[in-house]
Amino acid sequence: MKSHLLIISSTYLSQYLKDMLHSYSEQIDYKVIEYHSFTELKDLYYTHEKWADGILTTGIVVQTVLEKAIPHISVPLLSLATDNESFYRIPLSLMIENHNLRPERIVFDVFLNTKPFASVYDLLEYENINSMFPDFTRWLSSASLDELYHAEDLALKNIQRLWSEDRIDMVICRYGNLVPKLKELQIPCVFATATDEYLHQTLQLLISKIKVEKLTAHAPAVIAISPIETEGEVWNELLDLTLKKALLEFAKKNDVDFLIQQKRDTCLILTEKAFLSYLTNDFQKSIISSYLHEYLDFQLAVSYGIGNTLDEAITNATTAFKASGTSGDSYLVDAENQLIGPLYSEKPVISSYMLTPQIQEIAEKSSLATTTIHRLNRMILLIGHRDLTSNELAENFHITVRDANRILQKLESAGLAHTTFRKSDHMKGRPIKVYHIDWEI
């Protein structure tokens, strides 16, 4: 059975991609869908997500918009960027064809949002396109969705300004939608198309990723259901039997089969990745959590793990449980060590790597657990700023204010946070201590 490949392209590039993909018609079924604005990307994804086994976009900005707009993309996603060779080849070809063109008067549209004047001359001064504009990569990771949605409009305004000031003669475009607009304005431009070889390499990589994704559909997966410790309640045999009965009723109601194992106080359901995806609406919602919460009068935490082996899946489910702290929220850790969650429809679902060199370095420096640093990173991402009080941290982490103070003080002592003060919400009273988290998210 052929894989389904979804191509999200600007109108300008769609015919070129259809021509290139024709040679792959025996390997894949594909759709090329066009967007006219970055604001359309989210709806286009949701319209075609059930059909697609993999997605190719026509640029890293498009890919970044999708990753920021869609909480969890369940299929492989790659972008067709412009390779370094093309970034050099295209301007050099232009200057060979027209000796009057000067490198300092040829600009790249995609970099104008982070550098007021991004010219070919700048490119020739650096070793490669990546070291040329490091601010662009930082901008991609930190820009809000609204900023990304209007990136093309801002680039167009900057080009029009430079043209009116007689500072440019040519634009090398990576924003496909700008090409017809610039031609209408009679501003000379060319599109920085990747080489055919680079396109084929990207397509082959994406097809390989789709094959791997299908092969791992049967990877071991575990649902771990653990009691949340509450005052005066001790886990006992009666509660254990009540839980197992509820799980069997859930299985019967949803026409599924369970293999249940007991590990100390934790009830393990052994399954596989594809089945776990079905039980969680593609890792969006913990349906079992909702069911147990409705039918049982004691608190439970449901966590999920996927691994290359059963032991790894159990370990990842344990890590997901630790990540939830005492909140009772459901999380999933997959075979790539990504933490996904919380899996509740009323909360945004976020995917992020549990262990990165940065998180490990911060954890070691502050003497805090990597799961604590990871949760704090995710909290900052959700609230949209890095200023925290002990009360806010305690509320988000479902811990005591004393424990929240301990975390923030350790960060301050390690030079990873500093304190400021703000006025109390009331007319009287001491100012509230605020911790500003100093590392980059």
Side-chain angles (χ1 to χ4, degrees):
M1 186 176 177
K2 293 182 183 179
S3 296
H4 294 167
L5 184 59
L6 181 67
I7 315 293
I8 301 179
S9 169
S10 61
T11 303
Y12 179 77
L13 280 179
S14 63
Q15 189 57 53
Y16 163 72
L17 288 168
K18 288 173 185 175
D19 294 341
M20 292 295 294
L21 285 161
H22 183 70
S23 62
Y24 288 85
S25 57
E26 292 185 4
Q27 295 183 55
I28 56 172
D29 285 328
Y30 60 87
K31 288 181 183 177
V32 179
I33 57 173
E34 299 176 0
Y35 68 88
H36 304 92
S37 165
F38 289 161
T39 56
E40 300 172 5
L41 295 172
K42 183 178 179 180
D43 288 340
L44 288 175
Y45 170 85
Y46 280 126
T47 300
H48 299 276
E49 68 168 329
K50 296 298 182 185
W51 179 86
D53 294 316
I55 300 172
L56 180 71
T57 73
T58 51
I60 187 63
V61 180
V62 178
Q63 178 180 342
T64 304
V65 169
L66 284 172
E67 289 172 339
K68 292 197 175 189
I70 312 298
H72 176 69
I73 297 175
S74 57
V75 298
L77 169 67
L78 285 181
S79 67
L80 182 63
T82 299
D83 51 316
N84 281 349
E85 178 189 339
S86 297
F87 266 115
Y88 283 99
R89 174 179 51 81
I90 291 168
L92 290 174
S93 298
L94 287 170
M95 289 186 289
I96 289 170
E97 290 173 10
N98 184 350
H99 295 292
N100 293 322
L101 277 177
R102 295 178 359 224
E104 68 273 16
R105 292 180 64 86
I106 307 172
V107 293
F108 297 96
D109 66 346
V110 75
F111 298 118
L112 288 177
N113 292 358
T114 56
K115 188 178 174 68
F117 195 85
S119 71
V120 169
Y121 179 81
D122 295 315
L123 173 62
L124 298 176
E125 287 290 299
Y126 290 81
E127 292 181 1
N128 60 58
I129 201 73
N130 296 321
S131 60
M132 175 184 170
F133 297 121
D135 287 344
F136 177 71
T137 303
R138 288 195 289 269
W139 170 71
L140 274 181
S141 63
S142 62
S144 67
L145 258 177
D146 190 60
E147 288 177 289
L148 292 171
Y149 282 154
H150 296 97
E152 289 179 317
D153 297 332
L154 180 58
L156 181 60
K157 285 180 182 177
N158 286 330
I159 291 167
Q160 288 178 290
R161 174 180 54 79
L162 292 170
W163 179 257
S164 67
E165 294 171 358
D166 192 26
R167 296 178 62 190
I168 60 172
D169 296 326
M170 173 75 70
V171 180
I172 298 176
C173 295
R174 270 302 302 167
Y175 292 131
N177 289 328
L178 290 195
V179 175
K181 293 178 182 178
L182 291 175
K183 287 183 176 179
E184 189 178 334
L185 293 167
Q186 297 185 328
I187 299 175
C189 64
V190 294
F191 188 83
T193 308
T195 61
D196 291 352
E197 180 184 2
Y198 184 75
L199 172 58
H200 288 305
Q201 288 174 351
T202 304
L203 281 168
Q204 289 294 350
L205 177 59
L206 183 54
I207 291 169
S208 297
K209 284 180 173 287
I210 292 170
K211 288 179 180 176
V212 169
E213 187 71 19
K214 289 185 174 182
L215 286 171
T216 59
H218 300 291
V222 169
I223 305 170
I225 304 171
S226 310
I228 298 176
E229 292 182 12
T230 56
E231 245 183 82
E233 187 171 64
V234 179
W235 189 252
N236 56 47
E237 189 176 347
L238 178 60
L239 295 178
D240 186 61
L241 289 171
T242 305
L243 169 60
K244 286 190 170 79
K245 183 182 177 183
L247 289 173
L248 290 173
E249 288 173 354
F250 174 86
K252 184 178 179 180
K253 187 175 181 180
N254 291 274
D255 194 24
V256 296
D257 290 322
F258 279 160
L259 177 59
I260 301 174
Q261 285 189 3
Q262 192 71 29
K263 188 176 180 181
R264 298 187 184 90
D265 289 346
T266 300
C267 186
L268 300 178
I269 297 173
L270 311 184
T271 181
E272 59 183 31
K273 180 182 175 182
F275 187 61
L276 199 62
S277 176
Y278 166 73
L279 281 180
T280 57
N281 288 348
D282 289 331
F283 314 125
Q284 294 297 298
K285 185 178 181 182
S286 181
I287 298 171
I288 291 180
S289 297
S290 302
Y291 181 88
L292 295 177
H293 180 74
E294 183 178 351
Y295 288 96
L296 299 178
D297 59 0
F298 48 91
Q299 290 185 294
L300 295 163
V302 180
S303 51
Y304 302 87
I306 301 170
N308 297 305
T309 65
L310 180 57
D311 285 343
E312 189 178 296
I314 293 172
T315 299
N316 287 346
T318 303
T319 304
F321 174 70
K322 290 177 181 176
S324 68
T326 58
S327 67
D329 289 341
S330 289
Y331 288 90
L332 180 147
V333 174
D334 66 14
E336 283 73 47
N337 214 24
Q338 278 197 112
L339 181 70
I340 300 168
L343 305 184
Y344 289 105
S345 57
E346 68 271 15
K347 297 181 180 180
V349 178
I350 299 174
S351 299
S352 52
Y353 284 99
M354 283 290 296
L355 289 178
T356 65
Q358 183 199 27
I359 286 177
Q360 288 177 307
E361 182 184 348
I362 292 168
E364 289 172 9
K365 195 172 180 181
S366 61
S367 300
L368 291 168
T370 53
T371 51
T372 300
I373 302 302
H374 188 76
R375 289 179 68 203
L376 187 53
N377 251 350
R378 291 163 66 84
M379 176 186 166
I380 292 169
L381 183 62
L382 284 169
I383 64 178
H385 59 80
R386 302 188 206 179
D387 295 323
L388 305 172
T389 66
S390 298
N391 285 332
E392 289 166 341
L393 182 61
E395 184 180 345
N396 275 274
F397 272 29
H398 299 272
I399 57 178
T400 65
V401 174
R402 182 178 178 180
D403 286 338
N405 263 321
R406 181 183 60 83
I407 291 171
L408 293 170
Q409 286 167 5
K410 282 194 172 187
L411 291 172
E412 185 180 25
S413 298
L416 298 164
H418 69 269
T419 55
T420 57
F421 291 89
R422 69 177 179 217
K423 289 183 179 179
S424 172
D425 294 335
H426 306 287
M427 292 299 290
K428 296 180 180 181
R430 290 184 297 176
I432 299 170
K433 194 173 186 179
V434 179
Y435 290 83
H436 180 82
I437 307 302
D438 288 327
W439 69 75
E440 290 288 333
I441 300 174

